[in-house]
Amino acid sequence: MLMSIYDRHGGLPAETFGPLDWYGVPAEWQDADVMGMPRGAHIAPPRAAWTRGDYISTYTGRFWPMSPRASEIDIKDIAHSLAMQCRYAGHVKRFLSVAEHSVHIARWLLENAPHAALHGLLHDAPEALSGFGDVARPVKPARVREIEDRGWQAVAAAFGLSPVMPDEVHEADNRIIADEMRQNMHECDPKYDDPLGVELEYWDPVRGEREFLELYRMLTGGRS
C-alpha cells in the first residue's frame, strides 16, 4: 500500500528501496538523524526518535535530555539559554539571569580556587539542557534532579571536566544566595548568612550571553 502511494505520486518503485521492513523506510535510513533525511522518510520517524525519548529544540539545534550525548552539547546553547532564564523563578526585583549568576561564581573561583572556575561557570549547564530550566531548590523533584545529573555527566564529558563537582563550587553556589537575596529580593533566608561579596549587575540577556561566552573562551584558551 505504501509503495502504491509512492508510485501514484511519481515515487521510485519498491526495488529501488530494498526491503521495506520498517513502514516503508529503507534500512539505511532507519538510524539516520531527523534532519536532512531523504524524500519519503517522513513515513516513519527515525528509530533514534523512538529509542532516545523526546527531544527539546535548542537555540542551535536539538537535544535529548533523557539520553544526553556529549557530542551534541553546544556551548552557545548553554550560554543563550542561561542568559534568558531568571533566577528564583522570576520572584526578584530586577531580572537576574542564571548566566550572570554563573559568571559571578566563576570569577570568584578564579581568585579563590582557579582549578574549579570552569566547573563553576558550567555548574548550571544542565538547566539549559534538561527542558525544565531553573527549578527552585525547595520544590525540585527527584526526577528533575536525576535528569540534571545525567545531563551534567554529558556536560563534563563534553568539556573535559571531572564529573565530580568541586567542593568550592558548592560553597560558592550556596554563599552567593545571600548576595542575591539581600540585593534583589524582599527577604533573605537567615540560613544564608555568609555572602560571597559580589555586586549584582543585572545584565540583560544579550550581555549575559556575551559575558558567559567571553569567560568560557578565556578559561578554555579560546575554545569555541
Side-chain angles (χ1 to χ4, degrees):
M1 176 65 72
L2 287 171
M3 291 315 300
S4 66
I5 294 174
Y6 269 128
D7 292 339
R8 285 202 302 272
H9 292 278
L12 297 173
E15 291 78 7
T16 303
F17 289 88
L20 302 177
D21 63 344
W22 198 58
Y23 296 98
V25 179
E28 62 269 24
W29 294 359
Q30 291 178 15
D31 293 313
D33 289 335
V34 174
M35 301 300 291
M37 294 189 72
R39 178 173 177 255
H42 63 278
I43 291 176
R47 183 165 293 162
W50 296 106
T51 59
R52 297 190 63 195
D54 293 328
Y55 67 83
I56 62 170
S57 294
T58 65
Y59 181 54
T60 67
R62 291 177 174 178
F63 190 75
W64 281 258
M66 304 301 180
S67 55
R69 294 176 181 173
S71 61
E72 295 170 346
I73 293 175
D74 191 321
I75 190 62
K76 293 186 291 294
D77 286 334
I78 295 171
H80 183 81
S81 176
L82 296 186
M84 298 288 283
Q85 293 186 45
C86 189
R87 292 276 287 163
Y88 304 100
H91 295 290
V92 289
K93 297 175 182 177
R94 297 177 61 183
F95 176 77
L96 176 65
S97 71
V98 180
E100 180 175 344
H101 161 86
S102 300
V103 170
H104 286 315
I105 285 178
R107 287 176 176 172
W108 184 87
L109 289 166
L110 265 176
E111 296 183 4
N112 296 275
H115 67 280
L118 186 55
H119 275 90
L121 184 67
L122 297 174
H123 77 283
D124 277 338
E127 295 179 2
L129 303 170
S130 67
F132 294 101
D134 183 19
V135 181
R137 283 191 188 186
V139 295
K140 184 177 288 189
R143 180 59 173 158
V144 174
R145 295 181 188 277
E146 176 188 339
I147 293 171
E148 288 185 350
D149 288 345
R150 194 180 302 166
W152 170 251
Q153 299 295 316
V155 168
F159 298 105
L161 297 173
S162 166
V164 179
M165 191 69 71
D167 290 339
E168 294 90 344
V169 177
H170 291 300
E171 176 192 352
D173 196 27
N174 283 319
R175 290 178 59 191
I176 200 172
I177 293 174
D179 299 283
E180 294 172 339
M181 283 188 161
R182 291 177 183 183
Q183 296 175 45
N184 202 30
M185 299 185 76
H186 80 279
E187 65 177 353
C188 182
D189 189 324
K191 71 182 177 184
Y192 299 111
D193 59 358
D194 185 21
L196 280 185
V198 303
E199 190 70 29
L200 304 182
E201 299 181 47
Y202 309 106
W203 299 333
D204 62 46
V206 173
R207 183 178 175 189
E209 182 174 347
R210 183 178 70 247
E211 296 275 359
F212 188 100
L213 288 173
E214 286 178 355
L215 184 54
Y216 167 78
R217 292 180 184 120
M218 187 195 80
L219 293 173
T220 59
R223 180 177 173 183
S224 60

